[in-house]
Amino acid sequence: MEYKLIKLEKIQDFINALIASGKQVLAPKQKKEKVFFSLVGSFDEIAMDYIQTAFSAKSAVFPKCEELYTFEKNGKDTILHNPPAPENDTIVFGMRPCDGAAFDYLTTFFLKENPDYHFKMRYDKTIFVGLTCSSGDEFCFCTSVGISPSDTRGSDLMLTKTENGYYMEIITEKGKKLVEQFSNFFEQTEQIDKTKYTANIQKRFDSSALKEKISGAFNWERWEETSLPCFGCGTCAFSCPTCTCFDIQDEANLVGGARYRIWDTCALGIFTKHASGHNPREKQSERWRNRILHKFLYTDEQFGTLSCVGCGRCIRNCPAELSIIEQVNAIMEG
Ligand code: SF4
Ligand code: SF4
Ligand code: SF4
């Protein structure tokens, strides 16, 4: 791996040069009391000292609503048109390491078997720049799910703030190309020990012990009791950086139309409702169980990885104050 240093006074020029070159920069931006990933027009708009954004930057590669294709009737034939690939690169700048790990999971989900055309065309044009966490809050639990607050997985470049400037690890070829293109902003440096600049996030549960316990948890008798506060709004899933569920909707008339993909969630009652009216997850407790088991059991079985990265968003954002950390600990207690 190669290492570079970008002096504190140069980071601003680097970001502004990225924007001037035509790249889209999606970065954390303060909006009232929360921070959101937003497209920025200059470095001054970026919040560099935030704990976590309200939503991740997932929509850069998997938008909330996207056109899959348009279609038109031509006699007996139907002609499909795929949307064009984005022309310019997008830089996801300053994402936290848990979100980097989430992008790592998303690429496994969308690209491992039968690569998803729409995800891939965006992912190929996106460069991920991670930022080591120097602090966390009571909702952060990345270390409980095997992720460190300076983890580089899912990032093309990784920044760590030091007293000398931002220390940069060049992780992928994509990252290397970007650094070469803007080489005048960087200095060569040696590898450093990042520990001193990295937040100390306490473990909230032991994921190996959970793995053993959760495999037999489908018929756990406390699902109903622990899910009672949930009113099925889906905020947890919509703010989750690893949730991948979507619905397909058509908007069409007699001559043509468009097919869209829109985020969906297992928290909603209609999610598994069959056309017959039968619903295999009739009760909210069954839907809550699905969410927890999907994060901590099903994707482990399917892809060999948990699909919770410990970002804490579902706890911070839940209007019913449900906590996935408390839920996991309740399962551990039996
Ligand atoms: S955000 Fe809270 S209330 Fe809404 S579905 Fe998720 S757990 Fe239930
Ligand atoms: S389940 Fe909650 S804590 Fe885990 S990745 Fe999703 S939003 Fe973050
Ligand atoms: S099944 Fe539920 S928890 Fe799993 S990805 Fe879909 S919405 Fe998220």
Side-chain angles (χ1 to χ4, degrees):
M1 200 188 292
E2 273 188 74
Y3 310 97
K4 298 275 185 194
L5 183 77
I6 178 160
K7 289 268 175 64
L8 287 178
E9 62 275 15
K10 286 218 171 158
I11 189 93
Q12 172 165 347
D13 300 339
F14 170 52
I15 297 296
N16 290 339
L18 286 174
I19 296 167
S21 75
K23 298 186 193 306
Q24 300 196 97
V25 175
L26 193 63
K29 187 170 174 177
Q30 191 83 37
K31 287 187 185 164
K32 297 190 178 160
E33 74 280 11
K34 291 191 175 178
V35 177
F36 294 87
F37 271 99
S38 310
L39 287 175
V40 294
S42 78
F43 177 80
D44 297 342
E45 296 174 35
I46 301 179
M48 293 294 282
D49 288 320
Y50 72 103
I51 300 281
Q52 187 49 288
T53 51
F55 294 87
S56 79
K58 179 174 76 176
S59 55
V61 283
F62 175 38
K64 291 182 191 100
C65 176
E66 69 181 317
E67 185 185 284
L68 294 179
Y69 52 81
T70 54
F71 48 92
E72 58 178 307
K73 282 277 182 201
N74 184 2
K76 285 185 180 167
D77 298 327
T78 302
I79 303 166
L80 303 183
H81 304 280
N82 276 323
E87 280 179 24
N88 297 327
D89 289 339
T90 294
I91 314 287
V92 172
F93 179 80
M95 66 174 184
R96 293 305 184 191
C98 53
D99 282 353
F103 281 113
D104 200 39
Y105 170 77
L106 293 177
T107 55
T108 301
F109 179 86
F110 280 108
L111 301 181
K112 196 174 174 196
E113 297 162 10
N114 303 319
D116 181 278
Y117 169 86
H118 300 83
F119 181 93
K120 189 169 184 325
M121 74 176 184
R122 291 195 173 85
Y123 183 78
D124 287 348
K125 297 287 281 180
T126 307
I127 300 161
F128 298 91
V129 183
L131 180 62
T132 291
C133 300
S134 56
S135 57
D137 65 15
E138 71 270 32
F139 306 115
C140 296
F141 62 100
C142 53
T143 51
S144 310
V145 288
I147 296 161
S148 126
S150 63
D151 218 303
T152 59
R153 80 185 85 165
S155 292
D156 296 301
L157 299 168
M158 186 76 196
L159 297 172
T160 302
K161 192 177 182 186
T162 73
E163 46 290 282
N164 299 323
Y166 286 91
Y167 166 72
M168 176 185 271
E169 293 160 278
I170 302 174
I171 298 141
T172 65
E173 276 304 309
K174 243 191 215 177
K176 191 173 176 187
K177 273 192 194 150
L178 187 77
V179 169
E180 283 168 358
Q181 197 184 341
F182 293 88
S183 57
N184 51 326
F185 295 102
F186 307 105
E187 294 172 18
Q188 201 64 35
T189 192
E190 297 298 312
Q191 183 176 17
I192 63 162
D193 176 4
K194 296 192 288 180
T195 320
K196 144 177 183 201
Y197 307 104
T198 305
N200 180 16
I201 305 294
Q202 297 299 315
K203 278 197 180 185
R204 309 296 294 276
F205 53 86
D206 176 352
S207 59
S208 329
L210 175 68
K211 194 170 177 169
E212 284 184 26
K213 196 88 184 185
I214 207 161
S215 59
F218 189 85
N219 291 318
W220 185 49
E221 65 277 7
R222 293 183 61 203
W223 285 118
E224 192 138 339
E225 168 214 324
T226 55
S227 68
L228 268 183
C230 174
F231 46 79
C233 61
T235 303
C236 47
F238 296 136
S239 51
C240 179
T242 60
C243 274
T244 46
C245 286
F246 56 82
D247 190 18
I248 301 284
Q249 304 260 340
D250 287 348
E251 297 224 346
N253 56 30
L254 290 175
V255 290
R259 173 158 288 186
Y260 296 94
R261 150 159 98 182
I262 302 154
W263 288 359
D264 200 355
T265 164
C266 64
L268 305 179
I270 202 171
F271 184 73
T272 43
K273 194 169 181 184
H274 299 178
S276 65
H278 169 67
N279 192 343
R281 290 189 212 129
E282 193 78 59
K283 296 194 284 185
Q284 194 57 33
S285 59
E286 293 164 340
R287 305 195 268 275
W288 172 249
R289 174 180 62 190
N290 182 71
R291 176 169 179 76
I292 302 297
L293 294 186
H294 192 219
K295 295 288 170 205
F296 295 102
L297 176 64
Y298 301 152
T299 59
D300 195 20
E301 290 174 336
Q302 192 177 2
F303 302 117
T305 177
L306 304 183
S307 53
C308 172
V309 294
C311 72
R313 287 188 179 92
C314 58
I315 318 175
R316 291 186 198 93
N317 292 344
C318 177
E321 298 184 10
L322 268 165
S323 161
I324 201 164
I325 301 173
E326 287 171 17
Q327 177 65 51
V328 163
N329 280 306
I331 295 170
M332 299 282 272
E333 286 158 17

